Structures are given as structure tokens and as C-alpha cells.
Amino acid sequence: MNIELIRLLLDFGLVVLIWVVQLVIYPSLCYYKNEDLGKWHKIYTGRIGVIVGPLMITQLLVASWQLWKQPNFYTWGSILIIAIIWAMTFLVFVPLHNSISPNQSCEKLTRSLEVKNWWRTFLWSLLFLGSLILKISDYNF
């Protein structure tokens, strides 16, 4: 298995995951009672972290390897987009998730998560499309 295929699989996994978060998980948060949301949210973030963490770290490592081996527009662009996603995740989304409490309006929080998460959804989709186009171009049709 070559590095481009590994990267494509990582990007695919993350794009599927972010779309599930955007269209299913974030909108479903308000279906919990306020007192149950805090309990479920702790379980959710722990479980989703086990999936997202390794994927994001591996994506960063593979993209860095690609940049080191072949610095070009695609590899530099990928690193830039990944850096933006990491910054958004840790500077915007972690604090938003940490602010979930039984006393807060679920609708306001969920709306904020959904609106801001469209940026990460777009960026991860862009990374996947770039990897897909690169991989398809390897197969001289």
C-alpha cells in the first residue's frame, strides 16, 4: 500500500466522520434532557476522541511525510488545511464542548456547534477531494 492510498483512506475516514457529526450528532444533542446532556456528553467526547484522535494524528504525520518527500502545491496546501482544522478544533470546538452544562441553552450551543462546524466539514471534504483527485490521476485512464 502506498502513501497516497493511506492518505486517501485517512481523509475518507475523517470526511465521513465529520459529516456524521455535522448531520447527525450535533443536531441530536438537543434531544437529551439538560441534566442528561452533561452525562452523555462526557461519554460521547471520550468515545469520539478514541476514533478522531488517532485519525487526526496519523493524517498529520502522513501529510508531513508527503510534504517532506515531495513539497508541492498539494502537500503544502494539505498541511495548511490540516493546521487550520487543528487550530479550529482546539481553539474553538474544545472550549465549546467544555462549556456544555445543564444550565445552558441547548439550542444556542447546538446552533453554534453546527454553524462553526461547517468550516471543518468543508475543509475535510476539500482534503478528501484533493487526495481522491491525486489518487485517480495516478491511474492513467
Side-chain angles (χ1 to χ4, degrees):
M1 187 177 310
N2 66 24
I3 197 77
E4 288 82 16
L5 181 57
I6 293 168
R7 173 68 191 279
L8 178 62
L9 292 172
L10 287 165
D11 291 347
F12 179 71
L14 283 161
V15 81
V16 167
L17 184 63
I18 198 67
W19 278 98
V20 169
V21 167
Q22 183 65 24
L23 299 177
V24 178
I25 295 172
Y26 283 168
S28 72
L29 292 178
C30 283
Y31 287 94
Y32 291 91
K33 295 179 197 167
N34 277 354
E35 58 273 8
D36 293 336
L37 178 59
K39 288 185 243 175
W40 165 244
H41 186 262
K42 285 183 183 187
I43 295 167
Y44 159 73
T45 54
R47 290 179 181 176
I48 200 81
V50 170
I51 298 167
V52 174
L55 284 171
M56 285 180 68
I57 291 167
T58 307
Q59 181 188 51
L60 178 62
L61 292 173
V62 169
S64 298
W65 176 261
Q66 287 177 305
L67 178 62
W68 182 66
K69 290 302 250 181
Q70 190 174 15
N72 57 35
F73 180 76
Y74 166 75
T75 57
W76 277 108
S78 291
I79 288 294
L80 177 63
I81 291 171
I82 291 168
I84 292 168
I85 290 170
W86 277 66
M88 290 177 68
T89 298
F90 292 102
L91 298 176
V92 176
F93 288 91
V94 168
L96 268 174
H97 279 280
N98 287 340
S99 72
I100 291 179
S101 70
N103 303 328
Q104 188 174 9
S105 165
C106 180
E107 290 79 15
K108 182 179 177 184
L109 175 65
T110 300
R111 183 73 183 136
S112 180
L113 284 168
E114 287 179 34
V115 168
K116 291 174 180 168
N117 198 52
W118 277 117
W119 286 103
R120 288 193 308 179
T121 304
F122 169 75
L123 292 172
W124 259 316
S125 297
L126 189 63
L127 281 173
F128 170 67
L129 289 174
S131 292
L132 182 62
I133 290 167
L134 183 70
K135 191 63 184 161
I136 289 172
S137 70
D138 285 349
Y139 292 106
N140 302 315
F141 288 108

